[in-house]
Amino acid sequence: MAAPKKIAEPHKELRFTRAGQAQGFIVIAAVSFAFFLLIGLTWFMGHPTFTWWMALPFLILSALLTRLSAYCARHAYLILTPLGIEIFPLIKPHKNLNLVYWAQIIDADFDEELTALKLHFNEDQSTGIILSLKAIPTKKRPLLKRALESRLAEKEG
């Protein structure tokens, strides 16, 4: 598995990963592995309606979800840099990276539960980007809110 690259100036960046999503994927992987064990042991004990191959889809699903969970926990979803906010999608992040410069952002709104972020690009708030924050762990969302609001206040003042 590829490791994240070394950052030239790590003290100037805030990195938020998809660890919130990773938790869900690892739980589903554990349940899938439990089904693999259950069906495999039932076949091993000699049950006539179970065959050896019935457990394999659960093992494959468990392995794929474990790998996806590790990917989500290691790789960034949002990075706050001196240039702006880097937004990495889950699929093909190097190809579909979206960089929003600080100069583009007029205002930012969070919902009450801190599950959505709206970046506004004009004064009447008709253009911008809406980001789901459910991929970020709940305990890290207030840090994102504080950092983003501090950066925007610094830009205004």
Side-chain angles (χ1 to χ4, degrees):
M1 179 179 279
K5 294 182 180 178
K6 298 290 182 193
I7 302 168
E9 296 178 296
H11 60 281
K12 293 184 180 180
E13 291 186 353
L14 277 178
R15 184 175 291 254
F16 296 92
T17 63
R18 297 177 178 272
Q21 277 179 321
Q23 293 171 356
F25 289 136
I26 201 69
V27 167
I28 297 169
V31 170
S32 179
F33 190 74
F35 273 107
F36 162 74
L37 288 177
L38 178 69
I39 293 172
L41 287 174
T42 305
W43 166 75
F44 187 72
M45 303 262 301
H47 197 279
T49 58
F50 286 88
T51 58
W52 64 270
W53 58 266
M54 289 180 174
L56 287 182
F58 292 105
L59 180 63
I60 293 168
L61 179 64
S62 176
L64 291 174
L65 288 173
T66 301
R67 186 174 171 136
L68 181 61
S69 176
Y71 177 84
C72 287
R74 285 186 73 158
H75 291 82
Y77 173 48
L78 294 175
I79 301 178
L80 277 60
T81 67
L83 287 175
I85 301 174
E86 295 178 8
I87 305 165
F88 293 89
L90 183 61
I91 300 171
K92 297 183 182 178
H94 297 294
K95 189 176 185 180
N96 299 323
L97 166 71
N98 189 6
L99 175 60
V100 180
Y101 294 101
W102 292 117
Q104 289 178 281
I105 302 171
I106 301 299
D107 192 22
D109 291 331
F110 290 86
D111 64 349
E112 291 181 19
E113 299 85 26
L114 295 179
T115 57
L117 166 63
K118 296 176 186 174
L119 299 174
H120 302 290
F121 295 163
N122 60 7
E123 292 294 331
D124 59 348
Q125 300 181 351
S126 60
T127 62
I129 296 175
I130 299 174
L131 298 169
S132 173
L133 299 180
K134 291 182 180 179
I136 299 173
T138 309
K139 292 181 180 181
K140 302 291 182 189
R141 293 178 198 163
L143 175 62
L144 173 63
K145 180 178 181 181
R146 182 173 176 212
L148 193 57
E149 287 175 348
S150 297
R151 179 65 170 111
L152 291 176
E154 179 182 300
K155 188 178 103 172
E156 290 174 7

